[in-house]
Amino acid sequence: MPSSVELIQSLINGVGIGLVYGLVAIGFSVIYNASGIVNFAQGVFVMLGGMFAHTLLTTLGIPIWLSAIVSTIAVAGVGILVQILIITPMWVRKAPLFAIILATLAIQLLIEQIIIITLGDQPRTFPSFTPGGPLKIGEIALGYQLFWILGCGALMVYALTQFFNRTRMGRALRACSQNAEAAALLGIPVNRMLMLSFALSAALGAVAGILITPTQYTAYSVGGPFGINGFIAAIIGGFGSAPAALIGGIVLGVVQSGAIVFFGAGFKNVVALTVLLIVLLFFPNGLFGGLAKKA
Amino acid sequence: MTTASATPLIAVSELAARYGHIHALHPTSLYVAPGEFVTILGPNGAGKTTLLRAITRLIASSGHITFNGRDVTGLKTHQLAELGIIMAPEGRGLFGDMTVRENLVLGAFKAKPGELSGRLDKVFTLFPRLHERLDQIASSMSGGEQQMLAVGRALMADPKLLILDEPSLGLAPRVASEILSTLGLLNKEGLGILLVEQKAPLALKLAQRVYILSSGSIQAELPTNQIKSYHDLARYYFH
């Protein structure tokens, strides 16, 4: 039986990684809300955020804050390119939704291969944003990066909620998700909204990748696991809602972290997937499905 | 009074559309003059909704459309809306999870910030009930209130031509009459209106001209003051 210190430590670690899953899950929700598309390339944005930031930081010597900003903008640009080059042409030709979703999977694999060719296949990391640590509270150790993850995660969710509920563009994005034809009839450029959703999702993924890299590592292959966990988080919370996706992420992170403490690292995904199945059995729309579509 | 010789507000020429191999709309021409109220009547499956969807570019079509004398054939739906061609679609097309206020504000998506309150005031004057329900979720309102919101939201876009697809569908006669009367008021203020409606008696009271659409083709164009009885129309329905 784990000690109380181990349990608290695991809970805190779970919340930290859960926030990262939550950001990825919100990325899924943003695109799904705007288009009905489940973008399985979402995890690749996480990988690109970490890889770009690492390259700017270590190769070009750019400070971390600037590397983070430039990387986030660059990954948002990749998201826009994906939307312009792949999604919109398929959308215009009225490709079935499953074909578009399959295309996003292909995009993930393609970008991974491009990263192997250009940046290599070796894992890499960079230091925590704030040097030193961890902060010790009794026997519990809190890495400084955890505070960055908590702070940035909370800030991003707050900003997104404000964006979706209080701004013209945010409302327009929600309108497109509910009735794209009616939105177009009011003068809302639906295609540009789709582009905005891809840019936003990619930026969210990038931020998640930049935040998590100092606590783990990044490599061409990390997109897959982050994408899957983000997807599970979105389903647990309830697809289509930013707060629900975030809570889904935290639930998943805590469950995974608890599974490691109680059963060992090998059971992390077994327990997480079991929880997913239980949630789907009893709450087919997710734990907070009622919040769906309301930012 | 309006005539075909003046530059029409909208002129549709040889507009045709099909779903797969089925011709839902044969080459069709019609116009609405500035400030005119035109109704399209026809039986179920006549192609009325297809015609409106083709005009607003919600579906692909061939043919030409001019608006205020400008060729707008190649424009997309949202670009037509920017010019002032606004449609309240069949089924109302509300953003059901949003509040009345949010729906109305979205109607004024292209408006400048200073224009919003004036447009809201105008809508509340026409439909006071919307003002009482500002923070209510749209999908939780009654059918009549939802239709008021659909029309009110369309008005928030400051239309030059208001297109409505069966606004009375599923409404109690009194409520339908109330909404159609409001359209009459708006037309008196100079707003061009193109209305698809199945409730012929109500629509004919308001319109200056009527097109009869059947089997995807326009069967007749009549000034409403020349229609003596509804039997005059029936023969066009079943040509």
Coordinates of all heavy atoms in Angstrom, one line a residue, chain A residues 2 6-7 9-11 13-14 17 21 216 252-272:
Chain A
P2 N 0.7 2.2 -0.9 CA 1.5 3.4 -1.0 C 1.3 4.3 0.2 O 0.2 4.3 0.8 CB 1.1 4.1 -2.3 CG -0.2 3.5 -2.6 CD -0.3 2.1 -2.0
E6 N 3.3 9.4 -0.9 CA 3.3 8.9 -2.3 C 2.0 9.2 -3.0 O 2.0 9.6 -4.2 CB 3.6 7.4 -2.4 CG 5.0 7.0 -2.1 CD 5.1 5.5 -2.1 OE1 4.4 4.8 -1.3 OE2 6.0 5.0 -2.7
L7 N 0.9 9.1 -2.3 CA -0.4 9.3 -2.9 C -0.6 10.8 -3.2 O -1.0 11.1 -4.3 CB -1.5 8.9 -1.9 CG -1.8 7.4 -1.8 CD1 -2.9 7.1 -0.7 CD2 -2.3 6.9 -3.1
Q9 N 1.8 13.0 -3.7 CA 2.8 13.3 -4.8 C 2.2 12.8 -6.1 O 2.3 13.5 -7.1 CB 4.1 12.6 -4.5 CG 5.2 12.9 -5.5 CD 5.8 14.3 -5.3 OE1 6.4 14.5 -4.2 NE2 5.8 15.1 -6.2
S10 N 1.6 11.6 -6.1 CA 1.1 11.1 -7.3 C -0.1 11.9 -7.8 O -0.3 12.2 -9.0 CB 0.7 9.6 -7.1 OG -0.6 9.3 -7.6
L11 N -0.9 12.4 -6.9 CA -2.1 13.2 -7.2 C -1.6 14.5 -7.9 O -2.2 14.9 -8.9 CB -2.9 13.5 -5.9 CG -4.1 14.4 -6.1 CD1 -5.2 13.6 -6.8 CD2 -4.7 14.9 -4.8
N13 N 1.3 15.1 -9.4 CA 1.8 14.8 -10.7 C 0.7 14.5 -11.7 O 0.8 14.9 -12.9 CB 2.8 13.6 -10.6 CG 4.0 13.9 -9.8 OD1 4.4 15.0 -9.6 ND2 4.7 12.8 -9.3
G14 N -0.3 13.8 -11.2 CA -1.4 13.5 -12.1 C -2.2 14.8 -12.6 O -2.5 14.9 -13.8
I17 N 0.2 16.4 -15.3 CA 0.1 15.8 -16.7 C -1.3 15.9 -17.2 O -1.5 16.0 -18.4 CB 0.6 14.3 -16.6 CG1 0.8 13.8 -18.0 CG2 -0.3 13.5 -15.8 CD1 2.0 14.3 -18.8
Y21 N -2.8 17.0 -20.9 CA -3.8 16.2 -21.6 C -5.0 17.1 -21.9 O -5.6 17.0 -23.0 CB -4.3 15.0 -20.9 CG -3.3 13.9 -20.6 CD1 -3.4 13.0 -19.6 CD2 -2.2 13.8 -21.5 CE1 -2.5 12.0 -19.4 CE2 -1.2 12.8 -21.2 CZ -1.4 11.9 -20.2 OH -0.5 10.9 -20.0
Q216 N 9.7 15.8 -19.1 CA 9.9 14.4 -19.7 C 10.9 14.6 -20.8 O 12.1 14.9 -20.5 CB 8.6 13.9 -20.3 CG 7.4 13.9 -19.2 CD 6.2 13.3 -19.8 OE1 6.0 13.0 -21.0 NE2 5.2 13.1 -18.9
L252 N -8.1 11.9 -16.2 CA -7.2 10.9 -16.8 C -5.8 10.9 -16.2 O -5.2 9.9 -15.9 CB -7.1 11.1 -18.3 CG -6.3 10.2 -19.1 CD1 -6.9 8.7 -19.0 CD2 -6.1 10.6 -20.6
G253 N -5.3 12.1 -16.0 CA -3.9 12.2 -15.5 C -3.8 11.7 -14.1 O -2.9 10.9 -13.8
V254 N -4.8 12.0 -13.3 CA -4.8 11.5 -11.9 C -5.0 9.9 -11.9 O -4.3 9.2 -11.1 CB -5.9 12.2 -11.1 CG1 -6.1 11.5 -9.7 CG2 -5.6 13.6 -10.9
V255 N -5.9 9.4 -12.7 CA -6.1 8.0 -12.8 C -4.8 7.3 -13.2 O -4.4 6.3 -12.6 CB -7.3 7.6 -13.7 CG1 -7.2 6.2 -14.1 CG2 -8.6 8.0 -13.1
Q256 N -4.1 7.8 -14.2 CA -2.9 7.2 -14.7 C -1.8 7.2 -13.6 O -1.1 6.2 -13.4 CB -2.4 7.9 -15.9 CG -3.1 7.5 -17.2 CD -2.5 8.2 -18.4 OE1 -1.7 9.1 -18.3 NE2 -2.8 7.6 -19.6
S257 N -1.7 8.4 -13.0 CA -0.7 8.5 -11.9 C -1.0 7.6 -10.8 O -0.1 7.0 -10.2 CB -0.8 10.0 -11.5 OG 0.4 10.4 -10.9
G258 N -2.3 7.5 -10.4 CA -2.7 6.6 -9.3 C -2.4 5.1 -9.7 O -1.9 4.3 -8.9
A259 N -2.6 4.8 -11.0 CA -2.4 3.4 -11.4 C -0.9 3.0 -11.3 O -0.6 1.9 -10.9 CB -2.9 3.3 -12.9
I260 N -0.1 4.0 -11.6 CA 1.4 3.7 -11.5 C 1.8 3.4 -10.0 O 2.5 2.5 -9.7 CB 2.2 5.0 -12.0 CG1 2.0 5.1 -13.5 CG2 3.7 4.8 -11.7 CD1 2.5 6.4 -14.1
V261 N 1.2 4.2 -9.1 CA 1.5 4.0 -7.7 C 1.0 2.7 -7.2 O 1.7 2.0 -6.4 CB 1.0 5.2 -6.9 CG1 1.1 5.0 -5.4 CG2 1.7 6.5 -7.2
F262 N -0.2 2.4 -7.5 CA -0.9 1.2 -7.0 C -0.5 -0.1 -7.7 O -0.3 -1.1 -7.1 CB -2.4 1.3 -7.0 CG -3.0 2.2 -6.0 CD1 -3.3 3.5 -6.2 CD2 -3.2 1.7 -4.7 CE1 -3.8 4.3 -5.2 CE2 -3.7 2.5 -3.7 CZ -4.0 3.8 -3.9
F263 N -0.3 0.0 -9.0 CA -0.1 -1.3 -9.8 C 1.2 -1.3 -10.5 O 1.5 -2.4 -11.1 CB -1.3 -1.5 -10.8 CG -2.7 -1.4 -10.1 CD1 -3.5 -0.3 -10.4 CD2 -3.1 -2.3 -9.2 CE1 -4.7 -0.2 -9.9 CE2 -4.4 -2.2 -8.7 CZ -5.2 -1.2 -9.0
G264 N 1.8 -0.2 -10.7 CA 3.1 -0.2 -11.5 C 2.8 0.5 -12.8 O 1.7 0.6 -13.3
A265 N 3.9 1.0 -13.4 CA 3.8 1.8 -14.7 C 3.2 1.0 -15.8 O 2.5 1.6 -16.7 CB 5.2 2.2 -15.1
G266 N 3.3 -0.4 -15.8 CA 2.8 -1.2 -16.9 C 1.3 -1.1 -16.9 O 0.6 -1.4 -18.0
F267 N 0.6 -0.7 -15.8 CA -0.8 -0.7 -15.7 C -1.4 0.7 -16.0 O -2.7 0.8 -16.0 CB -1.3 -1.2 -14.4 CG -1.2 -2.7 -14.2 CD1 0.0 -3.3 -13.8 CD2 -2.3 -3.5 -14.4 CE1 0.0 -4.6 -13.6 CE2 -2.3 -4.9 -14.3 CZ -1.1 -5.5 -13.9
K268 N -0.6 1.6 -16.3 CA -1.0 3.0 -16.5 C -2.1 3.1 -17.6 O -3.2 3.6 -17.3 CB 0.2 3.9 -16.9 CG -0.1 5.3 -17.2 CD 1.2 6.0 -17.5 CE 1.1 6.6 -18.9 NZ 2.2 7.4 -19.3
N269 N -1.9 2.5 -18.7 CA -2.8 2.6 -19.8 C -4.0 1.6 -19.7 O -5.1 1.9 -20.1 CB -2.2 2.4 -21.2 CG -1.3 3.6 -21.5 OD1 -1.6 4.7 -21.1 ND2 -0.2 3.4 -22.2
V270 N -3.7 0.5 -19.0 CA -4.8 -0.5 -18.8 C -5.9 0.1 -17.9 O -7.1 0.1 -18.3 CB -4.2 -1.8 -18.0 CG1 -5.4 -2.7 -17.7 CG2 -3.2 -2.5 -18.9
V271 N -5.5 0.8 -16.8 CA -6.4 1.4 -16.0 C -7.1 2.6 -16.7 O -8.4 2.8 -16.6 CB -5.7 1.9 -14.6 CG1 -6.7 2.7 -13.8 CG2 -5.2 0.7 -13.9
A272 N -6.3 3.4 -17.4 CA -6.9 4.5 -18.1 C -8.0 4.1 -19.1 O -9.1 4.7 -19.1 CB -5.8 5.3 -18.8

